[in-house]
């Protein structure tokens, strides 16, 4: 089973509006789509669409937390959340007629130290049930910035695999515990290493450095240019075919999900890369976040090129 960790759950509202999004104007929403969000829950939905067993964990609270749990249940995703006092947040994504999206992300109400400790205790049992664990996204206030390092250490003690997809201090602190895999984009890579990345050679240098420091699988996602993989077998660049993008939100989460699925199925890192590019590119062809159509992924899969660089 794959477990996803989402400490900052939200109920995501996707608004479709007529015309373009202008500040200072009243705008009527044409369509509103509620989904259980926070990056880890996008990962969960994609894993479920890949037909693998999935358990979602993290913090939920209040009415919004209950709605998030209900939305997950509708998507056939099992969950085991810690119920906290504060209300789960909302995030809003406005997509206008020109396909331009504007996001409003609440930071998440504070969690107490006691609630964090309850989670850590329960997480120990969850690890026993899981083969692969993904950890994604931000954390609410009150959660220490080394929380991901703590969880990764616990997972590794039990010889299970862990994928970390975070940014800023959480990633910086998290990699100290050497997760099995990380999936930064180039911006996250720049801030992680404090360098500026301007070309493919610099992406490779940075990724190789992280791999040599002890992270088994380093994947740098490069949007429409696919992704770079550094693993024990070498350095590879996988490229998707050119596609007509609908909405790229959640592409990174789809990539993490597909890697988790590939690892669960015993694929090699290179097979995982190809599979993950097909799923993440297929996610860009749907309006909803963390979703894809199997026929899109199958079609894209056939046209992916994998180049061995080193
Ligand atoms: N325009 C695109 N065309 C084809 N594939 C895409 C496109 N954008 C993203 N992808 C696929 O999705 C993967 C992840 O995308 P990206 O590099 O944008 O991740 P990210 O920045 O982490 O995204 P997120 O916003 O979900 O965190 C890419 O490696 C690629 O396989
Ligand atoms: Mg990302």
């Amino acid at each position: 089973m794959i477990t996803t960790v989402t400490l900052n759950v939200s109920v995501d509202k996707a608004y479709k509006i007529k015309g373009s999004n202008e500040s200072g104007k009243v705008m009527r929403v044409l369509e509103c789509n509620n989904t259980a969000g926070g990056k880890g829950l996008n990962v969960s939905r994609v894993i479920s669409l890949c037909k693998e067993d999935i358990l979602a964990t993290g913090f939920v609270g209040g009415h919004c937390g209950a709605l998030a749990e209900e939305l997950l249940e509708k998507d056939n995703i099992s969950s085991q959340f810690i119920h906290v006092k504060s209300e789960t947040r909302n995030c809003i994504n406005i997509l206008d007629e020109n396909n331009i999206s504007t996001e409003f992300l609440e930071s998440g109400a504070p969690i107490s130290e006691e609630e964090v400790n309850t989670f850590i205790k329960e997480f120990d049992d969850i690890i026993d049930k899981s083969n692969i664990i993904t950890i994604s996204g931000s954390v609410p206030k009150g959660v220490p910035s080394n929380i991901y390092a703590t969880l990764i250490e616990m997972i590794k003690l039990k010889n299970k695999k862990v994928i970390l997809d975070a940014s800023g201090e959480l990633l910086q602190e998290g990699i100290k515990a050497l997760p099995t895999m990380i999936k930064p984009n180039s911006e996250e890579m720049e801030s992680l290493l404090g360098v500026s990345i301007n070309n493919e050679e610099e992406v490779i240098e940075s990724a190789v450095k992280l791999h040599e420091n002890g992270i088994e699988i380093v994947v740098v996602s490069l949007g429409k240019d696919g992704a770079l993989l550094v693993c024990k077998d070498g350095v590879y660049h996988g490229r998707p075919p050119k596609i007509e993008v609908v909405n790229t939100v959640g592409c990174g989460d789809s990539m993490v999900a597909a890697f988790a699925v590939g690892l669960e199925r015993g694929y090699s890192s290179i097979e995982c890369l190809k599979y993950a590019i097909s799923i993440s590119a297929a996610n860009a062809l749907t309006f909803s976040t963390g979703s894809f159509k199997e026929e899109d992924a199958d079609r894209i899969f056939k046209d992916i090129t994998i180049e061995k660089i080193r």
Side-chain angles (χ1 to χ4, degrees), residues 39 165 183 185 188 221 252-253:
K39 296 174 78 58
D165 182 21
K183 191 229 65 67
N185 55 29
E188 286 157 350
S221 66
D253 303 330

mmCIF file with all atom_site columns, all heavy atoms in Angstrom, residues 39 165 183 185 188 221 252-253, ligand 2:
data_model
loop_
_atom_site.group_PDB
_atom_site.id
_atom_site.type_symbol
_atom_site.label_atom_id
_atom_site.label_alt_id
_atom_site.label_comp_id
_atom_site.label_asym_id
_atom_site.label_entity_id
_atom_site.label_seq_id
_atom_site.pdbx_PDB_ins_code
_atom_site.Cartn_x
_atom_site.Cartn_y
_atom_site.Cartn_z
_atom_site.occupancy
_atom_site.B_iso_or_equiv
_atom_site.pdbx_formal_charge
_atom_site.auth_seq_id
_atom_site.auth_comp_id
_atom_site.auth_asym_id
_atom_site.auth_atom_id
_atom_site.pdbx_PDB_model_num
ATOM   1  N  N   . LYS A 1 39  ? -1.288 19.296 -1.630  1.00 0.00 ? 39  LYS A N   1
ATOM   2  C  CA  . LYS A 1 39  ? -0.606 18.535 -2.678  1.00 0.00 ? 39  LYS A CA  1
ATOM   3  C  C   . LYS A 1 39  ? -0.712 17.016 -2.483  1.00 0.00 ? 39  LYS A C   1
ATOM   4  O  O   . LYS A 1 39  ? -0.906 16.265 -3.426  1.00 0.00 ? 39  LYS A O   1
ATOM   5  C  CB  . LYS A 1 39  ? 0.848  18.969 -2.783  1.00 0.00 ? 39  LYS A CB  1
ATOM   6  C  CG  . LYS A 1 39  ? 0.964  20.440 -3.210  1.00 0.00 ? 39  LYS A CG  1
ATOM   7  C  CD  . LYS A 1 39  ? 2.374  20.942 -3.172  1.00 0.00 ? 39  LYS A CD  1
ATOM   8  C  CE  . LYS A 1 39  ? 3.156  20.482 -4.346  1.00 0.00 ? 39  LYS A CE  1
ATOM   9  N  NZ  . LYS A 1 39  ? 2.558  20.888 -5.616  1.00 0.00 ? 39  LYS A NZ  1
ATOM   10 N  N   . ASP A 1 165 ? 8.254  15.763 -1.544  1.00 0.00 ? 165 ASP A N   1
ATOM   11 C  CA  . ASP A 1 165 ? 8.023  16.846 -2.515  1.00 0.00 ? 165 ASP A CA  1
ATOM   12 C  C   . ASP A 1 165 ? 7.584  18.083 -1.748  1.00 0.00 ? 165 ASP A C   1
ATOM   13 O  O   . ASP A 1 165 ? 6.407  18.255 -1.443  1.00 0.00 ? 165 ASP A O   1
ATOM   14 C  CB  . ASP A 1 165 ? 6.960  16.430 -3.537  1.00 0.00 ? 165 ASP A CB  1
ATOM   15 C  CG  . ASP A 1 165 ? 6.735  17.510 -4.597  1.00 0.00 ? 165 ASP A CG  1
ATOM   16 O  OD1 . ASP A 1 165 ? 7.628  18.358 -4.780  1.00 0.00 ? 165 ASP A OD1 1
ATOM   17 O  OD2 . ASP A 1 165 ? 5.665  17.505 -5.232  1.00 0.00 ? 165 ASP A OD2 1
ATOM   18 N  N   . LYS A 1 183 ? 11.600 15.323 -5.724  1.00 0.00 ? 183 LYS A N   1
ATOM   19 C  CA  . LYS A 1 183 ? 11.183 15.757 -7.056  1.00 0.00 ? 183 LYS A CA  1
ATOM   20 C  C   . LYS A 1 183 ? 11.059 17.280 -7.143  1.00 0.00 ? 183 LYS A C   1
ATOM   21 O  O   . LYS A 1 183 ? 9.962  17.805 -7.292  1.00 0.00 ? 183 LYS A O   1
ATOM   22 C  CB  . LYS A 1 183 ? 9.862  15.094 -7.472  1.00 0.00 ? 183 LYS A CB  1
ATOM   23 C  CG  . LYS A 1 183 ? 9.531  15.310 -8.925  1.00 0.00 ? 183 LYS A CG  1
ATOM   24 C  CD  . LYS A 1 183 ? 8.111  15.789 -9.182  1.00 0.00 ? 183 LYS A CD  1
ATOM   25 C  CE  . LYS A 1 183 ? 7.729  17.120 -8.685  1.00 0.00 ? 183 LYS A CE  1
ATOM   26 N  NZ  . LYS A 1 183 ? 8.346  18.322 -9.269  1.00 0.00 ? 183 LYS A NZ  1
ATOM   27 N  N   . ASN A 1 185 ? 11.267 21.046 -8.766  1.00 0.00 ? 185 ASN A N   1
ATOM   28 C  CA  . ASN A 1 185 ? 11.340 21.658 -10.093 1.00 0.00 ? 185 ASN A CA  1
ATOM   29 C  C   . ASN A 1 185 ? 12.584 22.538 -10.073 1.00 0.00 ? 185 ASN A C   1
ATOM   30 O  O   . ASN A 1 185 ? 13.263 22.631 -9.041  1.00 0.00 ? 185 ASN A O   1
ATOM   31 C  CB  . ASN A 1 185 ? 10.055 22.426 -10.434 1.00 0.00 ? 185 ASN A CB  1
ATOM   32 C  CG  . ASN A 1 185 ? 9.695  23.470 -9.392  1.00 0.00 ? 185 ASN A CG  1
ATOM   33 O  OD1 . ASN A 1 185 ? 10.570 24.020 -8.731  1.00 0.00 ? 185 ASN A OD1 1
ATOM   34 N  ND2 . ASN A 1 185 ? 8.422  23.731 -9.225  1.00 0.00 ? 185 ASN A ND2 1
ATOM   35 N  N   . GLU A 1 188 ? 12.765 25.169 -7.220  1.00 0.00 ? 188 GLU A N   1
ATOM   36 C  CA  . GLU A 1 188 ? 12.989 24.588 -5.888  1.00 0.00 ? 188 GLU A CA  1
ATOM   37 C  C   . GLU A 1 188 ? 14.444 24.151 -5.736  1.00 0.00 ? 188 GLU A C   1
ATOM   38 O  O   . GLU A 1 188 ? 15.038 24.246 -4.663  1.00 0.00 ? 188 GLU A O   1
ATOM   39 C  CB  . GLU A 1 188 ? 12.039 23.402 -5.667  1.00 0.00 ? 188 GLU A CB  1
ATOM   40 C  CG  . GLU A 1 188 ? 10.607 23.845 -5.420  1.00 0.00 ? 188 GLU A CG  1
ATOM   41 C  CD  . GLU A 1 188 ? 9.549  22.784 -5.727  1.00 0.00 ? 188 GLU A CD  1
ATOM   42 O  OE1 . GLU A 1 188 ? 9.863  21.728 -6.316  1.00 0.00 ? 188 GLU A OE1 1
ATOM   43 O  OE2 . GLU A 1 188 ? 8.386  23.035 -5.387  1.00 0.00 ? 188 GLU A OE2 1
ATOM   44 N  N   . SER A 1 221 ? 11.793 18.045 -12.226 1.00 0.00 ? 221 SER A N   1
ATOM   45 C  CA  . SER A 1 221 ? 10.758 18.181 -13.250 1.00 0.00 ? 221 SER A CA  1
ATOM   46 C  C   . SER A 1 221 ? 10.939 19.509 -13.964 1.00 0.00 ? 221 SER A C   1
ATOM   47 O  O   . SER A 1 221 ? 11.265 20.528 -13.366 1.00 0.00 ? 221 SER A O   1
ATOM   48 C  CB  . SER A 1 221 ? 9.370  18.050 -12.636 1.00 0.00 ? 221 SER A CB  1
ATOM   49 O  OG  . SER A 1 221 ? 9.115  19.116 -11.763 1.00 0.00 ? 221 SER A OG  1
ATOM   50 N  N   . GLY A 1 252 ? 3.108  18.276 -11.072 1.00 0.00 ? 252 GLY A N   1
ATOM   51 C  CA  . GLY A 1 252 ? 4.174  17.781 -10.199 1.00 0.00 ? 252 GLY A CA  1
ATOM   52 C  C   . GLY A 1 252 ? 3.651  16.697 -9.254  1.00 0.00 ? 252 GLY A C   1
ATOM   53 O  O   . GLY A 1 252 ? 4.309  15.687 -9.013  1.00 0.00 ? 252 GLY A O   1
ATOM   54 N  N   . ASP A 1 253 ? 2.437  16.912 -8.735  1.00 0.00 ? 253 ASP A N   1
ATOM   55 C  CA  . ASP A 1 253 ? 1.831  15.931 -7.825  1.00 0.00 ? 253 ASP A CA  1
ATOM   56 C  C   . ASP A 1 253 ? 1.548  14.618 -8.568  1.00 0.00 ? 253 ASP A C   1
ATOM   57 O  O   . ASP A 1 253 ? 1.712  13.526 -8.021  1.00 0.00 ? 253 ASP A O   1
ATOM   58 C  CB  . ASP A 1 253 ? 0.531  16.490 -7.230  1.00 0.00 ? 253 ASP A CB  1
ATOM   59 C  CG  . ASP A 1 253 ? 0.763  17.807 -6.507  1.00 0.00 ? 253 ASP A CG  1
ATOM   60 O  OD1 . ASP A 1 253 ? 1.879  17.998 -5.981  1.00 0.00 ? 253 ASP A OD1 1
ATOM   61 O  OD2 . ASP A 1 253 ? -0.153 18.645 -6.472  1.00 0.00 ? 253 ASP A OD2 1
HETATM 62 MG MG1 . LIG B 2 .   ? 5.811  20.913 -7.453  1.00 0.00 ? 2   LIG B MG1 1
#
